[in-house]
């Protein structure tokens, strides 16, 4: 079974009660789970099992959650949740900067985690349906802006010919901005897109919008971009983000 077909999750959590709750929620959503209590073993389980999803607590034995996240991100593009009792905004930003896709503060309601897992499942389903089944690439699949080229079908992106190493969320945000070009995308709109929500008026929390800000900051860093003098992504103050004016095209692939 290929990684794209898998519904597997690795849970890295040292509190046995919390670990049991997280496992129950993932298994209720149809995931096979492996749960471990320390960071080093968690990293190895991710490498061995190639899961679709990972959860990491920050305060775990051995290497902490931030370091575990960095090591995992170097080896895996799985969707990564940091679930932590440390609710400070700086910890959330550090977690997302380490490669996490989402940050959930303890205590949380199991239904909140389930909603995010369901959103992840929808994203995975869309990616599987859009994955190329042959060698044909449509013009709409390949997008470019300046020296960025992105193939939405194969989920590959290059910056001046090199791979910038984007996470799933960073890739999806860049795709959204490339598709809408100079139209401004609000933080709330982008947050809904990331969680697979197609309803325009559903609630978006401040934490969700801050997560979008952190992802955009990481995306800019990997692209070598600057918010003060942007080459790729502009901030429209009080509204959201859009591509800079420039060479933005849908590039045909031969």
């Amino acid at each position: 079974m290929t990684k794209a077909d898998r519904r597997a999750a690795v849970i890295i959590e040292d509190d046995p009660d919390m670990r049991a709750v997280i496992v129950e929620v993932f298994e209720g959503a149809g995931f096979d789970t492996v749960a471990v209590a320390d960071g080093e073993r968690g990293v190895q389980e991710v490498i061995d099992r190639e899961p679709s999803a990972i959860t990491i607590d920050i305060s775990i034995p051995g290497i902490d959650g931030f370091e575990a996240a960095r090591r995992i991100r170097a080896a895996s593009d799985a969707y990564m949740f940091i679930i932590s009792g440390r609710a400070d905004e700086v910890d959330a930003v550090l977690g997302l900067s380490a490669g996490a896709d989402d940050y959930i503060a303890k205590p949380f309601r199991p239904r909140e985690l389930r909603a995010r897992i369901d959103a992840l499942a929808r994203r995975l389903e869309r990616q599987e349906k859009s994955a190329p089944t042959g060698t044909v690439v449509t013009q709409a699949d390949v997008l470019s802006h300046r020296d960025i080229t992105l193939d939405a079908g194969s989920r590959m992106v290059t910056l001046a010919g090199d791979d910038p190493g984007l996470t799933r969320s960073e890739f999806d945000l860049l795709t959204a901005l490339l598709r809408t070009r100079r139209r401004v995308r609000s933080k709330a709109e982008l947050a809904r897109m990331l969680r697979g929500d197609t309803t325009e008026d559903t609630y978006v929390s401040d934490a969700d919008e801050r997560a979008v800000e952190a992802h955009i900051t990481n995306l800019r860093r990997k692209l070598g971009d600057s918010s003060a003098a942007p080459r790729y992504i502009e901030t429209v103050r009080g509204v959201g983000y859009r591509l800079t004016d420039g060479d933005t095209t849908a590039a045909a692939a031969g």
Side-chain angles (χ1 to χ4, degrees):
M1 183 165 50
T2 66
K3 182 166 67 173
D5 296 326
R6 301 181 74 143
R7 288 291 180 271
V10 171
I11 314 302
I12 308 172
E13 169 63 62
D14 64 329
D15 183 298
D17 293 333
M18 179 59 65
R19 190 164 62 239
V21 169
I22 297 171
V23 166
E24 182 178 359
V25 175
F26 267 96
E27 290 185 346
F31 282 73
D32 295 326
T33 62
V34 173
V36 299
D38 67 271
E40 291 183 355
R41 186 179 168 200
V43 172
Q44 191 58 52
E45 289 288 354
V46 170
I47 293 171
D48 292 344
R49 297 178 183 274
E50 297 186 319
S52 301
I54 304 155
T55 75
I56 307 176
D57 184 18
I58 292 175
S59 301
I60 48 177
I63 60 173
D64 68 14
F66 297 132
E67 179 60 23
R70 282 188 284 269
R71 294 187 189 184
I72 286 170
R73 187 52 75 212
S76 170
D77 67 349
Y79 197 90
M80 190 189 309
F81 299 86
I82 285 186
I83 302 179
S84 175
R86 292 158 58 173
D88 291 344
E89 184 173 348
V90 65
D91 288 321
V93 172
L94 286 172
L96 295 170
S97 297
D101 295 285
D102 205 348
Y103 189 102
I104 301 174
K106 300 176 185 175
F108 62 88
R109 296 178 180 177
R111 66 185 181 184
E112 176 190 358
L113 177 58
R114 176 60 187 266
R116 297 185 189 222
I117 294 170
D118 288 344
L120 168 61
R122 289 193 296 270
R123 290 176 68 181
L124 293 172
E125 287 170 5
R126 289 200 307 272
Q127 291 168 14
E128 289 166 12
K129 288 177 182 177
S130 64
T133 56
T135 58
V136 176
V137 179
T138 68
Q139 184 173 0
D141 284 333
V142 183
L143 304 164
S144 67
H145 178 57
R146 301 186 186 275
D147 51 355
I148 296 171
T149 301
L150 181 148
D151 185 338
S154 63
R155 294 188 64 82
M156 295 179 64
V157 61
T158 59
L159 173 67
D162 295 326
D163 181 358
L166 304 186
T167 66
R168 288 178 185 267
S169 293
E170 292 159 4
F171 183 95
D172 290 344
L173 285 169
L174 181 58
T175 303
L177 294 173
L178 285 169
R179 288 201 187 284
T180 51
R181 305 184 181 186
R182 293 288 289 165
R183 180 170 77 79
V184 180
R185 305 292 295 266
S186 71
K187 295 173 189 176
E189 182 183 1
L190 292 170
R192 292 188 188 98
M193 182 273 297
L194 287 179
R195 70 190 189 196
D197 189 343
T198 57
T199 306
E200 293 183 2
D201 58 352
T202 53
Y203 175 71
V204 174
S205 69
D206 289 342
D208 288 333
E209 293 196 356
R210 286 196 300 271
V212 170
E213 292 171 2
H215 288 313
I216 291 289
T217 297
N218 293 336
L219 176 57
R220 280 175 166 150
R221 174 176 54 79
K222 292 179 181 180
L223 296 177
D225 206 3
S226 163
S227 59
R231 176 172 169 77
Y232 305 108
I233 300 170
E234 287 182 354
T235 298
V236 180
R237 190 172 299 278
V239 184
Y241 306 98
R242 67 182 178 189
L243 287 189
T244 56
D245 195 11
D247 180 17
T248 307
T249 60

